[in-house]
Amino acid sequence: CGEDYLMKLTAAAILDLRNQLREDVWNKAHSHWREAKTYFDMEHKIQVGGANVPKRLLGLARSKVLSMADTMVTDNPVVTRKANQGKTNKRQKDQDELWGQGELRDLSLPYGLQPPFKTAAGNLALYGCTIVALRWNDARWGTSEPDSAELRKRRKNISPFELVVPHPARILLPPFDREPPFAIETGTYSTFQVKRDYPQLAGKMRGKDFQLVELVIFHSEEEFWVLVDGEMGFKRANLLGFVPYAIAFNSRGMESAPVYSGGSSPTASSAGANPADFAVGILDHCLGSIVVLDEVFTGVAHQTRETLYRQTYVAGPDAEAIAEQKKQAEAGSILTMPNTDRPIRDVVVLQ
């Protein structure tokens, strides 16, 4: 399917390919991700004992995911390389290690909204999958600047690339290719962003600066396309020469066993790996336990509040005076009766 479309690319073909990947390949995984995200956001449903019983959620899903992400990501990356015999090789090894550590620190800078490695670790924990995009930064590389000795010197100490980790559901690509032949990214951007990042689309932007439009960005090794709200925006050669996306799973999943239809060979729809088999987050098999614990905690919290803060009802000739004493008394206080001539049994207290 992919190779056929790459041979006869059109805007309609790109949108059709995107829909096939979304509906036939990634749909099951995306459905699991939406459910897991409700638990992470503490928006999942639990059963409570009545409409007036407030939900008390422990936040277990969020704490588990963020703890795992913190465990996977370090603030001080270390690169090691084994050297061969000889002082020259040792010196080269040290230089390579320093270069590698500097490159990792440079790539880990949050050019986007969040640190990319931390975001990728969170995706691996919650969704069981992450997709990383490599962007070329013209401003950092000084693409528009005239050639000079100063520019060449500066380029020796910087990387023209930045690492971006979008939500994995926004990137559609063949799931099991380490070097994908193509990738399709979908995103919603303001017209201000589009005009800034793609000046050639400025003439197609209408309305206010922060009106939203949908961009569909297609990468193959040879071509780069941008569609705006389903219509052709522009296309050019892919100057990078490769598809700048990489996918990774967290190794918690396993391929499902094929289902046979009675013959000696499996049907096409029941054999072979599905990305949902491998995109397994750390919450996927304990969602029921999270619900049970939240329900128990909600019940205990509600019962505790009902017991500790019960309303007291007082009836009798001195009810008003007793109620006033109780309201002003501290916890554990001993209250005196307003009318000591009357027996205590004549005062009725209902709780």
Side-chain angles (χ1 to χ4, degrees):
C1 168
E3 294 298 329
D4 293 340
Y5 276 85
L6 296 184
M7 294 176 63
K8 48 183 180 181
L9 273 180
T10 63
I14 290 173
L15 293 176
D16 190 27
L17 183 57
R18 180 190 66 166
N19 293 337
Q20 287 188 51
L21 286 167
R22 180 186 288 170
E23 297 167 9
D24 300 336
V25 179
W26 284 98
N27 182 51
K28 187 177 179 181
H30 290 178
S31 178
H32 290 173
W33 296 351
R34 286 190 291 270
E35 182 182 18
K37 190 62 162 55
T38 64
Y39 284 77
F40 182 80
D41 292 335
M42 299 173 65
E43 296 175 349
H44 58 284
K45 295 180 180 179
I46 64 172
Q47 293 184 352
V48 296
N52 295 325
V53 178
K55 292 195 303 182
R56 306 291 177 184
L57 305 181
L58 293 167
L60 294 174
R62 180 175 287 269
S63 63
K64 285 174 68 69
V65 168
L66 295 182
S67 294
M68 184 173 180
D70 288 338
T71 301
M72 289 191 289
V73 178
T74 176
D75 294 330
N76 186 28
V78 176
V79 176
T80 59
R81 175 182 177 273
K82 186 177 179 180
N84 296 322
Q85 297 296 324
K87 292 184 178 179
T88 302
N89 288 323
K90 175 66 168 59
R91 188 165 54 250
Q92 184 64 47
K93 165 189 172 296
D94 294 341
Q95 291 176 352
D96 290 348
E97 289 178 349
L98 290 174
W99 175 85
Q101 290 175 193
E103 187 72 8
L104 281 177
R105 289 195 181 96
D106 188 63
L107 287 174
S108 67
L109 294 175
Y111 296 107
L113 297 178
Q114 291 182 306
F117 291 151
K118 188 69 172 288
T119 304
N123 288 343
L124 286 171
L126 181 58
Y127 303 126
C129 172
T130 192
I131 297 177
V132 177
L134 202 62
R135 309 275 201 238
W136 178 276
N137 190 319
D138 280 326
R140 294 186 69 208
W141 193 242
T143 305
S144 59
E145 298 180 32
D147 185 38
S148 65
E150 182 182 350
L151 178 62
R152 290 193 296 270
K153 180 179 179 181
R154 191 171 83 237
R155 284 177 174 175
K156 291 181 179 180
N157 299 311
I158 61 173
S159 169
F161 295 103
E162 59 190 44
L163 210 59
V164 180
V165 185
H167 192 289
R170 293 207 294 112
I171 314 298
L172 295 165
L173 42 68
F176 304 119
D177 287 349
R178 183 169 293 277
E179 297 181 3
F182 65 90
I184 303 173
E185 179 174 350
T186 301
T188 302
Y189 303 89
S190 68
T191 55
F192 169 81
Q193 290 175 288
V194 174
K195 287 187 286 188
R196 180 195 62 194
D197 297 340
Y198 302 104
Q200 57 269 63
L201 293 177
K204 295 181 178 293
M205 296 297 102
R206 300 289 185 269
K208 299 179 180 179
D209 278 344
F210 289 92
Q211 182 175 325
L212 298 180
V213 296
E214 181 190 67
L215 296 189
V216 177
I217 302 171
F218 175 89
H219 273 96
S220 69
E221 291 183 357
E222 296 81 20
E223 297 189 59
F224 175 79
W225 292 56
V226 177
L227 311 184
V228 182
D229 286 336
E231 302 294 331
M232 181 64 189
F234 74 91
K235 65 177 181 178
R236 59 169 169 77
N238 180 4
L239 303 179
L240 297 175
F242 61 91
V243 179
Y245 298 91
I247 184 172
F249 297 100
N250 66 5
S251 76
R252 296 177 65 91
M254 184 177 295
E255 182 179 344
S256 298
V259 178
Y260 294 89
S261 58
S264 58
S265 61
T267 61
S269 61
S270 63
N274 185 288
D277 295 337
F278 294 91
V280 178
I282 63 173
L283 305 179
D284 286 16
H285 298 104
C286 62
L287 299 181
S289 299
I290 292 174
V291 169
V292 169
L293 289 171
D294 284 340
E295 289 176 348
V296 170
F297 183 70
T298 296
V300 170
H302 179 68
Q303 190 61 43
T304 301
R305 289 177 62 86
E306 289 291 299
T307 302
L308 293 177
Y309 307 111
R310 289 182 296 176
Q311 290 182 324
T312 302
Y313 299 89
V314 183
D318 301 315
E320 185 175 344
I322 294 174
E324 184 62 27
Q325 272 193 318
K326 182 173 176 60
K327 183 169 65 174
Q328 297 180 4
E330 297 179 357
S333 299
I334 299 176
L335 306 182
T336 59
M337 298 295 297
N339 184 358
T340 54
D341 295 333
R342 295 176 56 249
I344 189 69
R345 64 177 178 273
D346 291 341
V347 179
V348 181
V349 179
L350 303 176
Q351 293 187 341

